[in-house]
Amino acid sequence: MKIVTRATAIKNLKKYIGQDLRQLAKKLKITTYETGKQNKGWKGLILELLAGLENNVSKAPNGLSYELKSVSFYHVKDKLIPKETMAITMINQKELKEQEFFKSHVWEKLKSIVFCAVMWHGKNSDNAELLKVTSLDFSETDDLIKEIKADYDFIRAKLIKKGFSSLTGKDGKWIQARTKGQGGINPKTGKRRPITRAFYARKELVAKIFNDSK
DNA sequence: CCATGATCATTA
DNA sequence: TAATGATCATGG
């Protein structure tokens, strides 16, 4: 297991700015949707590889490391706008009830994020040009963080008061608790898979990260 | 099985 | 286009 510092990861990634990630994915044997399947996470995987990390689809690095995220951008008017929200981390009911913001995975990930902007060219991301690689450090005293913490606390309070099923993507100013997970029907049991949720960064937050970073 | 990588689908 | 909910592949 190589150790790749955040600075090194960024340096590695910057070499690929302007390139089409799909070509790189082919070269590195990352499965894209081309196999007839839909691997929606392929961009994330390829970026992890390019950064010099082990291809680790599993648990995200905890705490000591950093988070590598990619977001699709597109043009609105003449500006670059994030197309989608950004998944931060799964919500674990028990942990959310017990942990305050600064002990949460949400904070652990947000505070050390490495952010990759990728151009979106329509459904299936036929090509995916790497636009920008950046990083951002949050501090516990940032006003923005205080507001994000307020969202976290709100969602946490709602979970405690009304239960997991009362959560919705409508909550939160900067982050939201949307559904995320396997979804669909379990072919073995024929039953619906349980709904799970994750914290997402709203587009405004993504845009802010994009603009505030260098 | 489940969390992680994220995007797709639907409805305005 | 925007917002929210649903969904897919992967690998430990």
Side-chain angles (χ1 to χ4, degrees):
Chain A
M1 179 67 152
K2 283 188 288 193
I3 304 294
V4 181
T5 65
R6 196 157 65 133
T8 304
I10 293 167
K11 202 176 78 187
N12 288 340
L13 285 169
K14 281 194 171 174
K15 290 188 282 194
Y16 295 97
I17 287 181
Q19 293 201 34
D20 184 352
L21 294 179
R22 182 156 151 259
Q23 302 302 319
L24 293 165
K26 269 184 159 176
K27 210 184 287 181
L28 296 174
K29 308 252 198 289
I30 299 282
T31 309
T32 67
Y33 65 93
E34 283 187 314
T35 56
K37 312 196 172 183
Q38 278 187 56
N39 185 351
K40 297 177 182 173
W42 70 267
K43 274 189 221 163
L45 301 181
I46 189 87
L47 287 168
E48 284 178 356
L49 276 182
L50 296 179
L53 299 170
E54 306 288 318
N55 194 351
N56 199 341
V57 187
S58 193
K59 295 242 200 282
N62 270 331
L64 295 179
S65 196
Y66 42 83
E67 269 297 293
L68 189 57
K69 294 286 184 193
S70 86
V71 178
S72 289
F73 277 71
Y74 62 173
H75 289 282
V76 175
K77 311 276 180 178
D78 53 349
K79 285 187 170 176
L80 224 42
I81 299 293
K83 173 184 166 288
E84 292 270 2
T85 50
M86 179 180 74
I88 301 173
T89 192
M90 289 301 292
I91 293 175
N92 178 311
Q93 290 193 60
K94 187 165 176 292
E95 288 185 4
L96 180 54
K97 281 177 187 168
E98 293 173 353
Q99 293 177 339
E100 61 161 327
F101 180 67
F102 289 119
K103 291 184 176 176
S104 70
H105 293 305
V106 181
W107 168 241
E108 290 294 328
K109 297 191 174 222
L110 271 185
K111 73 177 181 186
S112 59
I113 192 167
V114 174
F115 189 77
C116 299
V118 180
M119 194 62 209
W120 184 71
H121 292 279
K123 195 174 134 189
N124 279 339
S125 299
D126 255 352
N127 44 48
E129 178 193 354
L130 186 57
L131 289 175
K132 181 173 176 178
V133 179
T134 188
S135 68
L136 191 60
D137 289 291
F138 284 110
S139 111
E140 295 191 15
T141 52
D142 285 347
D143 287 341
L144 177 60
I145 287 301
K146 288 177 185 166
E147 295 191 12
I148 293 175
K149 180 179 183 300
D151 285 341
Y152 177 93
D153 288 341
F154 177 84
I155 292 168
R156 185 177 169 209
K158 191 168 180 182
L159 169 67
I160 293 169
K161 256 187 168 173
K162 300 186 175 180
F164 194 65
S165 59
S166 73
L167 300 180
T168 157
K170 289 174 187 155
D171 294 329
K173 177 180 175 186
W174 296 108
I175 57 176
Q176 57 183 173
R178 281 211 275 157
T179 62
K180 179 185 192 293
Q182 176 68 76
I185 308 291
N186 186 328
K188 287 200 170 176
T189 62
K191 288 180 185 172
R192 201 87 178 47
R193 291 191 173 91
I195 296 291
T196 51
R197 289 171 194 281
F199 281 110
Y200 281 77
R202 284 185 181 278
K203 287 199 287 189
E204 289 78 5
L205 179 55
V206 176
K208 209 166 170 43
I209 292 172
F210 183 69
N211 291 325
D212 284 3
S213 56
K214 288 272 177 343

